[in-house]
Amino acid sequence: MQRFLIYGGRKGWISGLVGELLEAQGATYHFGKARIEDRHAVLEDIKEFKPTHILNAAGVTGRPNVDWCETHKIETIRSNVIGCLTLADVCLSEGLHMTYFGTGCIFHYDDDFPQGSGKGFKEADKPNFTGSYYSYTKAMLESLLREYPNVLILRVRMPIVQDLTYARNFITKIIKYEKVIDIPNSMTVLPELLPLAIKMAKRNLTGVMNYTNPGAISHNEILQLYKDYIDPEFSWSNFTVEEQAKVIVAPRSNNLLDTERIEGEFPEILPIRESLIKYVFEPNAAKKEEVKAAVREMRGR
């Protein structure tokens, strides 16, 4: 029987959602007690819970955003590099499969992968973006973690959920901003893709997986969907990447990831725009006035 051990905490965003999914499926699962950089404590968890699969969503992204990592480098290294490598190494020694919810924010458009070209970064491509310390540690981790034959690395990007007032939801973030850039990006619609992560773990898939919906969508396109489905009076303004740089500490990643591998495993996966409509905007449109009022209160305008 398959038994899952989740790291990231019951109150963690992705780890909590994974726990809810496993609960709904009637699966056997537990949340790990150990800090993942503590090898002995992780081994104790494995001894107690006897898992067949580890699902690791632990790590730091920073609050309120990745700029936090610029001034908390040791904490970032300990969690994002040492902790994850320790967990992967323990899993290997214990004969366990590990799924790691990583990031695709380790690439950016360049001359070889121009914005708008439709050419996406593949799983074998080496990271070309280390502009933020967060991305720097994640790129370093991926290069080391891909050597472990028991690990599946999921490259998550700009994760999205249905709740438009949830602070970590990418759509919530751009709704709250006074100004946004307008660049097409690969993104991860969690209500659609999280169940697929559990299926991948059960299939014991390994290696790197670009864990996004096919295609790219821009900030303006998402905000226009919000306007069309929820609030016709909603408005926003744009600024350039150069102007954005003046109000953030570290540069941000913008890219398109190739989705051939995930589409090969799950041909039913929806393109990003269709997924957003089905899993985010149509459900919110069904309670439009309630959502509109909550978002307006959140924005304070």
Side-chain angles (χ1 to χ4, degrees), residues 92-286:
L92 181 64
S93 68
E94 297 298 308
L96 300 175
H97 181 275
M98 183 180 102
T99 300
Y100 164 60
F101 292 90
T103 184
C105 294
I106 52 178
F107 299 97
H108 70 120
Y109 294 119
D110 61 13
D111 292 341
D112 293 326
F113 292 86
Q115 178 182 324
S117 67
K119 181 183 179 183
F121 292 92
K122 295 181 179 292
E123 281 82 0
D125 289 323
K126 293 182 179 179
N128 69 347
F129 177 79
T130 54
S132 68
Y133 200 73
Y134 166 79
S135 293
Y136 174 70
T137 60
K138 290 290 192 175
M140 181 184 300
L141 172 64
E142 184 183 288
S143 68
L144 298 170
L145 201 58
R146 62 166 65 233
E147 302 299 332
Y148 282 81
N150 59 316
V151 174
L152 173 66
I153 303 167
L154 300 178
R155 288 175 175 167
V156 180
R157 287 220 73 233
M158 298 176 167
I160 292 167
V161 291
Q162 185 185 120
D163 184 352
L164 295 177
T165 60
Y166 184 72
R168 300 183 72 181
N169 184 357
F170 176 74
I171 299 178
T172 303
K173 293 178 181 180
I174 63 173
I175 284 175
K176 290 170 66 175
Y177 293 154
E178 292 283 351
K179 294 182 178 181
V180 297
I181 58 171
D182 184 36
I183 299 176
N185 271 281
S186 288
M187 300 184 191
T188 304
V189 180
L190 291 175
E192 181 178 14
L193 267 62
L194 274 184
L196 304 187
I198 294 172
K199 290 181 180 179
M200 290 184 226
K202 290 179 177 179
R203 294 178 188 179
N204 290 318
L205 300 184
T206 58
V208 179
M209 176 79 75
N210 286 337
Y211 185 61
T212 63
N213 292 84
I217 192 166
S218 71
H219 300 61
N220 280 5
E221 289 175 292
I222 291 175
L223 294 177
Q224 186 62 51
L225 285 170
Y226 177 79
K227 184 171 183 173
D228 292 343
Y229 279 86
I230 309 298
D231 186 355
E233 298 178 9
F234 181 80
S235 63
W236 70 94
S237 58
N238 293 123
F239 62 170
T240 66
V241 172
E242 292 73 23
E243 290 170 326
Q244 181 195 45
K246 296 177 182 178
V247 296
I248 57 177
V249 176
R252 301 294 195 260
S253 160
N254 295 287
N255 67 56
L256 171 67
L257 298 182
D258 180 273
T259 52
E260 182 179 358
R261 185 181 183 195
I262 194 169
E263 289 182 83
E265 290 288 337
F266 305 100
E268 69 276 16
I269 189 172
L270 292 175
I272 182 62
R273 181 181 176 86
E274 286 82 348
S275 186
L276 286 172
I277 291 171
K278 178 177 179 179
Y279 290 97
V280 178
F281 290 109
E282 286 183 343
N284 279 295

